[in-house]
Amino acid sequence: MNIHDLDTPALLIDVNVLDRNLRKMAQYCNDHRLALRPHIKTHKMPEIARLQLQQGAAGITVAKLGEAEVMADAGIEDILIVYPLWGEKKWARLVDLASRVRVTVAVDSLAVAAGISQAAKTAGTEIGIRAEFDTGFRRCGWPIAASSMDEIQKIIALPGLRWDGILVYPGHIMGNQTIREQDIEREDETMDALFELLGSASIPYPVVSGGNTPAAFASHRFHGLTEIRPGTYVFNDRNTVDAESAEFANCALAVLVTVVSTSVSQRAIIDSGSKTLSADPLLSGDRLGYGYVLGHPEFKLEDLSEEHGHLTIPSGSKINIGDRLRVIPNHACTCINLHDRVFVVEGEHVVDEWKVAARGKVA
Amino acid sequence: MNIHDLDTPALLIDVNVLDRNLRKMAQYCNDHRLALRPHIKTHKMPEIARLQLQQGAAGITVAKLGEAEVMADAGIEDILIVYPLWGEKKWARLVDLASRVRVTVAVDSLAVAAGISQAAKTAGTEIGIRAEFDTGFRRCGWPIAASSMDEIQKIIALPGLRWDGILVYPGHIMGNQTIREQDIEREDETMDALFELLGSASIPYPVVSGGNTPAAFASHRFHGLTEIRPGTYVFNDRNTVDAESAEFANCALAVLVTVVSTSVSQRAIIDSGSKTLSADPLLSGDRLGYGYVLGHPEFKLEDLSEEHGHLTIPSGSKINIGDRLRVIPNHACTCINLHDRVFVVEGEHVVDEWKVAARGKVA
């Protein structure tokens, strides 16, 4: 099948760009002796998780138990869940999962760790555990303070848990390359302080897990990292380009759209809105717009309705109903999450269709 | 089952509030002799569409053919598609749909109308048609100008189409009650100009369709309306409350969430982020925040990650891991679209579970 035979809107993955993105990260991690444990929340597809593992990934990362279950069902055998799992229902699912595949979880409270420990002990299983620290993103993670070490020592002593180290998420390291330079220096000071605290408390940390997509290729410069968990690098998106971590030519994901209305002056309406692209804003710069129209920087995707994309068109631009465009979304992860399937393309050919198997797994 | 037995995050619909919202709008339309043709893009559930029809709705409105197909499969027999449908594939689906149920479409170009006409003629069927005009939202719709009348006369003359009138979408009428007063006056002047143009061109318009949720209960004051198509009124959301068109007590939809982390000072993390609530911004006021925490106006849902909601907590507030909260989303329509199912509740009792059957129907 040819791309021209697809109805729109349709999500396209350029398999050659995808493959190049995957290989580049795998090679980088190999060169720098970093374990790669990609976050599959970006793609939610076992097909891509398998490609990542084939190219040397140590395992995968997920945020939700539902994502982990889908991946385990598809034969993925080593899963890190970076999320505070709370409640009897989730703990029961977790120990069930641990009976099938190797599972590690990140925790940032004694309460969550104690719940997991109890469930693991009762089920007679063992679950890997890491402590998450907050290095500045202010989301999850213990503060880097002596008081945190006391709690972590209590966790290490809990039954049913297999301690293997620490975890950070530097979500605050974004911006552009210049800003990141300073951020990385600050992060290193923070991590050095953490290592000193852990050392003083005699807490071992064979694994130090971190990393995100914007700073992925600078991971070897972060002090002490042994593993990174980038997600978006598989596709890249407008945010990644804006963060100077990729070019549009490295974007493997695009939404194929059709111009459906040109009735209003200086406007063209495309058949993709917030239910197709997601309304996630651009994270840096002027933060305006909801996607980049490939080959047409003069068209601005200024606003979204649920099913309409509002393009502003400079006067004199030639655009007609029925024209097809490719839009690079601001945020690949939330865009894919809106779709049931993607079309895998090589040039103009549709070579495969993949199901977004872990879409909708919010719990 | 009790609400406490549900795992989170979970979408809850309070069936009594829903019923009250549906009855209030049905009564209003009945009192003012307005046809009610609710837009089902909000709920995407045949169960709710059927309730709307049972209470007197004239039919339903959809944006996407996929939504129309799901509703037709569920036995809904009168469907208006307010979307410029372009391309052979869509026209083939449209005539197929028209062989099963009564279908009307809105158009804002001769190109789209000609494609539909050709497909209908070939299939030996007839499709209802309305012309959409732009009254200020600058999305779809012909300009209110004499030149538009020439195109519409050509459309009326096309075979395979059943002309029944005109359609507007006053998406620009939002804000709060005070702002809307002025907007409604301006809208009336615009509509009067349109009626004059249509009259001069001898174009009949038995149907004049308009309306949105914020201005729904002022619809009788808009000149000439015979039908309204509100969507969000079934649930209401933070945007509706902010537009002074409902109170939080009228919000039928809430996301049941759990606090999963309190490790970072002045923060609490809930298990719902942009993949559960949607990142749609607040449309008026300060435009800050991503939802309203019922009973806790002091908690601000300041930021979202994909699976984390970042609450800021005033110092001294009591909040613990495992606490459950209910969040009213900014935008009900995009929130529901992220979920496969909803739980229908009466007080603390879960009385039903509905599938979001038309979710993901982007084409």
Side-chain angles (χ1 to χ4, degrees):
Chain A
M1 189 162 63
N2 194 285
I3 287 177
H4 307 291
D5 300 322
L6 293 176
D7 199 1
T8 70
L11 262 192
L12 308 181
I13 290 177
D14 185 314
V15 72
N16 292 322
V17 179
L18 171 70
D19 187 65
R20 211 161 61 216
N21 293 344
L22 295 181
R23 281 180 199 285
K24 188 179 166 195
M25 190 65 77
Q27 186 65 53
Y28 168 81
C29 287
N30 196 50
D31 289 349
H32 293 280
R33 305 175 66 90
L34 284 162
L36 175 60
R37 186 179 283 279
H39 205 314
I40 64 81
K41 54 123 189 185
T42 298
H43 55 73
K44 290 181 174 261
M45 288 176 253
E47 290 83 352
I48 297 181
R50 277 194 285 265
L51 288 175
Q52 291 171 313
L53 291 166
Q54 279 163 22
Q55 296 184 13
I60 64 165
T61 303
V62 304
K64 290 279 163 154
L65 260 171
E67 292 174 338
E69 288 160 346
V70 168
M71 293 294 154
D73 290 346
I76 310 292
E77 292 174 341
D78 187 334
I79 302 177
L80 169 68
I81 305 174
V82 181
Y83 205 80
L85 297 175
W86 178 264
E88 298 293 344
K89 280 190 197 295
K90 288 211 171 62
W91 298 329
R93 287 165 61 196
L94 178 63
V95 295
D96 180 63
L97 186 70
S99 73
R100 301 196 283 149
V101 298
R102 181 181 170 86
V103 176
T104 307
V105 295
V107 295
D108 74 340
S109 70
L110 188 53
V112 164
I116 294 171
S117 161
Q118 184 60 50
K121 197 181 133 197
T122 306
T125 189
E126 196 184 60
I127 290 170
I129 201 132
R130 296 181 185 177
E132 177 163 3
F133 286 92
D134 172 37
T135 62
F137 189 43
R138 293 183 48 75
R139 187 175 71 182
C140 287
W142 272 285
I144 295 177
S147 57
S148 305
M149 302 303 129
D150 299 341
E151 291 214 337
I152 287 157
Q153 279 167 325
K154 284 180 193 151
I155 287 171
I156 295 175
L158 289 172
L161 305 179
R162 181 183 67 247
W163 173 255
D164 82 347
I166 64 165
L167 185 139
V168 298
Y169 175 61
H172 50 292
I173 300 189
M174 177 60 68
N176 58 27
Q177 281 184 354
T178 316
I179 295 168
R180 276 200 299 278
E181 282 303 309
Q182 301 152 20
D183 286 343
I184 291 172
E185 273 179 43
R186 243 194 312 271
E187 190 78 0
D188 279 342
E189 288 168 25
T190 308
M191 291 302 282
D192 288 346
L194 174 56
F195 296 140
E196 206 171 306
L197 283 167
L198 290 163
S200 304
S202 302
I203 295 171
Y205 47 97
V207 171
V208 180
S209 177
N212 65 2
T213 286
F217 293 106
S219 297
H220 60 290
R221 294 173 47 208
F222 285 78
H223 290 182
L225 282 191
T226 68
E227 172 188 286
I228 63 171
R229 309 181 313 276
T232 311
Y233 80 97
V234 296
F235 301 127
N236 297 310
D237 55 19
R238 190 167 164 237
N239 270 322
T240 320
V241 173
D242 227 53
E244 299 177 358
S245 299
E247 310 280 332
F248 284 119
N250 313 123
C251 292
L253 180 85
V255 185
L256 184 69
V257 307
T258 299
V259 174
V260 294
S261 172
T262 56
S263 291
V264 174
S265 72
Q266 310 261 286
R267 272 276 146 104
I269 300 299
I270 56 172
D271 58 1
S272 289
S274 62
K275 282 178 174 168
T276 300
L277 287 159
S278 96
D280 273 24
L282 198 61
L283 290 177
S284 48
D286 58 15
R287 295 174 185 240
L288 295 177
Y290 295 94
Y292 177 80
V293 184
L294 273 178
H296 291 282
E298 78 278 18
F299 299 165
K300 304 291 179 201
L301 188 45
E302 189 184 66
D303 207 356
L304 300 179
S305 304
E306 284 159 58
E307 305 292 4
H308 305 72
H310 304 217
L311 287 183
T312 54
I313 302 293
S315 62
S317 281
K318 205 171 145 272
I319 193 163
N320 293 304
I321 292 173
D323 285 355
R324 288 187 165 204
L325 304 169
R326 291 195 196 196
V327 178
I328 306 293
N330 282 358
H331 191 181
C333 314
T334 49
C335 172
I336 286 180
N337 184 53
L338 295 165
H339 296 264
D340 292 328
R341 58 179 181 166
V342 297
F343 297 97
V344 184
V345 301
E346 260 196 86
E348 300 289 291
H349 297 287
V350 179
V351 296
D352 213 341
E353 188 181 319
W354 293 338
K355 189 178 171 221
V356 186
R359 192 216 62 75
K361 304 302 178 194
V362 294
Chain B
M1 191 162 61
N2 193 286
I3 287 177
H4 307 291
D5 301 322
L6 293 176
D7 198 2
T8 70
L11 263 192
L12 308 182
I13 291 177
D14 185 314
V15 72
N16 292 323
V17 180
L18 171 71
D19 186 65
R20 210 161 61 216
N21 292 343
L22 295 181
R23 282 182 198 282
K24 187 178 168 196
M25 189 66 76
Q27 186 64 52
Y28 168 80
C29 287
N30 195 50
D31 288 349
H32 293 279
R33 305 174 67 89
L34 284 162
L36 175 59
R37 186 179 283 278
H39 204 314
I40 64 82
K41 54 123 188 186
T42 298
H43 55 74
K44 290 180 174 263
M45 288 175 253
E47 289 84 352
I48 297 180
R50 277 194 285 265
L51 289 175
Q52 291 171 314
L53 290 166
Q54 278 163 21
Q55 295 184 15
I60 64 165
T61 303
V62 304
K64 291 278 164 156
L65 260 171
E67 292 174 338
E69 288 161 346
V70 167
M71 293 294 154
D73 290 347
I76 310 293
E77 292 175 341
D78 188 332
I79 303 176
L80 168 68
I81 305 174
V82 181
Y83 205 80
L85 298 176
W86 176 263
E88 297 294 342
K89 279 189 199 297
K90 288 211 172 63
W91 297 330
R93 286 165 61 196
L94 178 63
V95 295
D96 180 62
L97 186 70
S99 73
R100 300 197 284 150
V101 298
R102 181 181 171 86
V103 177
T104 306
V105 296
V107 296
D108 73 341
S109 71
L110 188 52
V112 164
I116 294 172
S117 160
Q118 184 61 50
K121 196 180 134 196
T122 307
T125 188
E126 197 183 60
I127 290 170
I129 201 133
R130 296 181 185 178
E132 177 163 2
F133 286 91
D134 172 37
T135 61
F137 189 42
R138 292 182 49 74
R139 187 174 73 181
C140 287
W142 272 285
I144 294 176
S147 56
S148 305
M149 302 302 130
D150 299 340
E151 291 213 338
I152 288 157
Q153 278 167 325
K154 284 180 192 150
I155 287 171
I156 295 176
L158 288 171
L161 304 180
R162 181 183 68 247
W163 172 256
D164 84 343
I166 63 166
L167 185 139
V168 298
Y169 175 60
H172 50 291
I173 300 188
M174 176 63 63
N176 58 27
Q177 280 185 357
T178 315
I179 294 169
R180 276 200 298 278
E181 281 302 310
Q182 301 152 21
D183 286 344
I184 291 173
E185 273 179 42
R186 244 196 311 271
E187 191 78 0
D188 280 341
E189 289 168 25
T190 308
M191 292 302 282
D192 288 345
L194 173 57
F195 296 139
E196 204 171 308
L197 283 167
L198 290 163
S200 304
S202 302
I203 295 171
Y205 47 97
V207 172
V208 180
S209 177
N212 65 3
T213 286
F217 293 105
S219 297
H220 60 289
R221 295 175 45 208
F222 285 78
H223 291 182
L225 282 191
T226 67
E227 172 187 287
I228 62 171
R229 310 182 311 278
T232 310
Y233 80 97
V234 295
F235 301 127
N236 297 310
D237 54 20
R238 189 166 166 238
N239 270 322
T240 320
V241 173
D242 227 56
E244 300 176 358
S245 299
E247 310 281 332
F248 284 119
N250 313 124
C251 292
L253 181 83
V255 185
L256 184 68
V257 307
T258 299
V259 175
V260 295
S261 172
T262 57
S263 292
V264 174
S265 71
Q266 309 262 288
R267 271 277 146 101
I269 300 299
I270 56 171
D271 59 0
S272 289
S274 62
K275 282 177 174 168
T276 299
L277 286 159
S278 97
D280 274 24
L282 199 62
L283 290 177
S284 49
D286 58 15
R287 295 174 185 243
L288 295 177
Y290 295 94
Y292 178 79
V293 184
L294 274 177
H296 291 282
E298 76 279 17
F299 299 164
K300 303 293 177 198
L301 188 45
E302 189 184 64
D303 206 357
L304 300 178
S305 304
E306 285 158 58
E307 305 291 6
H308 306 72
H310 305 218
L311 286 183
T312 54
I313 302 294
S315 61
S317 281
K318 205 171 145 270
I319 191 162
N320 294 302
I321 293 174
D323 284 356
R324 289 187 164 204
L325 304 168
R326 292 196 195 194
V327 178
I328 306 293
N330 282 358
H331 191 181
C333 313
T334 51
C335 173
I336 286 180
N337 184 52
L338 295 166
H339 296 263
D340 292 329
R341 57 179 182 168
V342 297
F343 297 97
V344 184
V345 302
E346 259 196 87
E348 300 289 292
H349 297 287
V350 180
V351 295
D352 212 341
E353 188 182 318
W354 292 339
K355 189 179 172 222
V356 187
R359 193 217 62 77
K361 304 301 179 195
V362 294

